[in-house]
Amino acid sequence: MSSKTRSGPEAAPGAKFGLPAASALVIGSIVGTGVFALPSALAPYGPISLVAFVAVTLGALALAVTFGALSKRVPASGGPYVYARQAFGEFAGFLNAWSYWITVWAGNAAIVVAWVGYVEVFVNTGHSKGYSVLIALVGLWIPAAVNLSGVRNTGAFQVVTTVLKFVPLVLMSTVGLLFIDPDNFGAFNASDQSALGAISAAAAIALFSYLGLEAASVVAGRVRDPERNVPRATVYGTLVCAVIYVLGTLAVFGTVSHGELGASTAPFTDAANNIVGGTWAGDAVAVAAIVSGIGALNGWTMLCAEMPYAAARDGLFPGAFARLRGESGVPAFGIVASTVLASLITVFSYTRFDDVFTRVVLLSVLTAVIPYLFSAAAQLYWLLARGRESLSPRRLARDVTVAALAMAFSYWSIQGSGYQTVYYGLFVLLLGLPVYIWLKRDRGEYGETAPAAPPAEIPEPRAPETSSPTARTPRRARTGTFRRSILRHHD
């Protein structure tokens, strides 16, 4: 990629994502191996979890529309971090960046756990934990290597894997519906909870399938014409995934018996085998799931670096995350650091948890919902404070309703995560406070607002800016060690 940049507050590297690549990033980030493992995770709740899936789909669409509207006003990299910072200040921005960063590397751990289940259709069929961990580590570091090679390669890899992964999902969500046997569904509510409790608990797991719908907004500065392409990629990508998800999960529930489904590590493979007989169809689905997982890990690894990079440029994340390497301007430190953390939590999970996928999924969902909640709140705040000036009454009422639904859905998702998950999620979120204290110390501030100063010159290569020219909060002056550190990172 050329290092030549445009001038102005939203300058970005020369090679950018068009609408197809941006849509592939959204779809590829949403459709990982999670959907291929999800029916097994939902099986303990029974078919009532399909009701939860529909509710989650409606909430995800409300979030997609909300992110699309936010990206039109703030077409810069950072997504939820930028929206929270612009609306509520830098501390809210930091908490969102920290929480989302945890989401992406913990989410990678969950994706790779599901991915291993499909790899082990062919190797390590006895599911030896040592070999499972080794396979998982290979799955994490291949996408990291692709991301380190540059944005152009990352985008091309994402498009190819997105196309390949959709074939079996489309077949299962269409042809698979013809082979549904009602006897396979079992009890409507197979859990020991009330109907509402079962729906809430299943929804918290199902939401993991839609994590990544904000992907285009996170990398908006790397998308051509972001005001137009980011909202379209977000909404259209989420809609496509929603149709495939609901119908595909219904087909699996109806073609695999309830008892078999709960113990399956590759439910789509089992469903395909039950439909056609033999093993060749299931093997083909397993290959597609393996490709899908690598594609999703590729997209999420990019997000692992983009969010902290955006915050680091504003002095709200350690300066090492703002370092760029090579002509492509790759934030290499963020990619490597996040992959190391994902590797550690994967190893820990395999040695400590029996239900590895579900435990890691719930943690990553909770830490994702917090930025979602702040983003919906930022949209609602802007609509109530400024909406009357630029929107018709009908459009204002519609947008307020969508933003309010997105907020309510986020609260519901937190409630359904369970007490233990909320405890661990709150703990890892608050671990960010010492980091924030360290960053504030290096800026020489204690509560007061530092006098504004012109932004420092940043030599080429230069990646997308993280603040919109319409943002009302000026960039704070950077003093002392931290300012010198940032300047050195761009030398």
Side-chain angles (χ1 to χ4, degrees), residues 49-374:
S49 58
L50 294 172
V51 178
F53 215 150
V54 172
V56 166
T57 298
L58 295 175
L61 290 173
L63 283 169
V65 172
T66 299
F67 276 112
L70 287 164
S71 65
K72 288 181 180 179
R73 290 205 318 276
V74 193
S77 287
Y81 154 71
V82 176
Y83 310 145
R85 181 175 180 269
Q86 185 191 54
F88 307 119
E90 68 171 27
F91 183 62
F94 168 79
L95 283 180
N96 276 266
W98 179 262
S99 185
Y100 191 83
W101 183 58
I102 293 171
T103 295
V104 287
W105 57 257
N108 270 0
I111 291 171
V112 84
V113 166
W115 181 79
V116 167
Y118 281 92
V119 173
E120 290 181 344
V121 170
F122 306 102
V123 299
N124 191 33
T125 54
H127 306 296
S128 167
K129 283 191 176 181
Y131 284 113
S132 294
V133 170
L134 180 60
I135 294 169
L137 294 179
V138 171
L140 287 171
W141 285 96
I142 288 176
V146 174
N147 272 263
L148 289 171
S149 70
V151 174
R152 191 184 302 277
N153 292 338
T154 302
F157 190 83
Q158 198 67 27
V159 171
V160 171
T161 54
T162 297
V163 171
L164 292 176
K165 76 175 67 177
F166 249 70
V167 175
L169 289 174
V170 170
L171 288 175
M172 186 60 67
S173 61
T174 53
V175 177
L177 297 175
L178 302 175
F179 294 88
I180 288 178
D181 182 353
D183 292 337
N184 286 325
F185 287 106
F188 183 67
N189 182 1
S191 70
D192 56 358
Q193 304 183 48
S194 66
L196 182 59
I199 291 173
S200 296
I205 298 173
L207 178 59
F208 180 74
S209 298
Y210 288 105
L211 296 190
L213 62 88
E214 73 290 342
S217 69
V218 174
V219 299
R222 298 185 186 270
V223 177
R224 285 196 301 271
D225 192 9
E227 296 93 335
R228 179 171 178 267
N229 286 332
V230 170
R232 293 170 68 193
T234 301
V235 175
Y236 295 162
T238 304
L239 274 172
V240 169
C241 293
V243 174
I244 298 297
Y245 273 7
V246 174
L247 296 181
T249 304
L250 174 63
V252 173
F253 265 82
T255 54
V256 181
S257 68
H258 181 262
E260 182 185 356
L261 185 60
S264 175
T265 59
F268 272 80
T269 291
D270 293 338
N273 287 336
N274 289 347
I275 289 172
V276 302
T279 61
W280 68 267
D283 290 347
V285 171
V287 170
I290 292 168
V291 173
S292 177
I294 287 292
L297 288 166
N298 180 66
W300 279 89
T301 300
M302 184 178 189
L303 302 184
C304 281
E306 287 294 323
M307 176 65 78
Y309 170 79
R313 281 186 62 89
D314 291 334
L316 294 179
F317 233 68
F321 286 92
R323 294 173 181 166
L324 301 178
R325 299 294 184 191
E327 293 184 356
S328 299
V330 176
F333 181 84
I335 293 171
V336 173
S338 300
T339 306
V340 168
L341 288 170
S343 300
L344 291 175
I345 195 173
T346 299
V347 173
F348 178 81
S349 298
Y350 266 109
T351 56
R352 296 299 181 91
F353 299 149
D354 291 327
D355 50 345
V356 181
F357 179 74
T358 302
R359 294 288 187 92
V360 181
V361 160
L362 288 173
L363 175 62
S364 56
V365 164
L366 180 67
T367 53
V369 167
I370 292 171
Y372 289 175
L373 179 62
F374 270 89

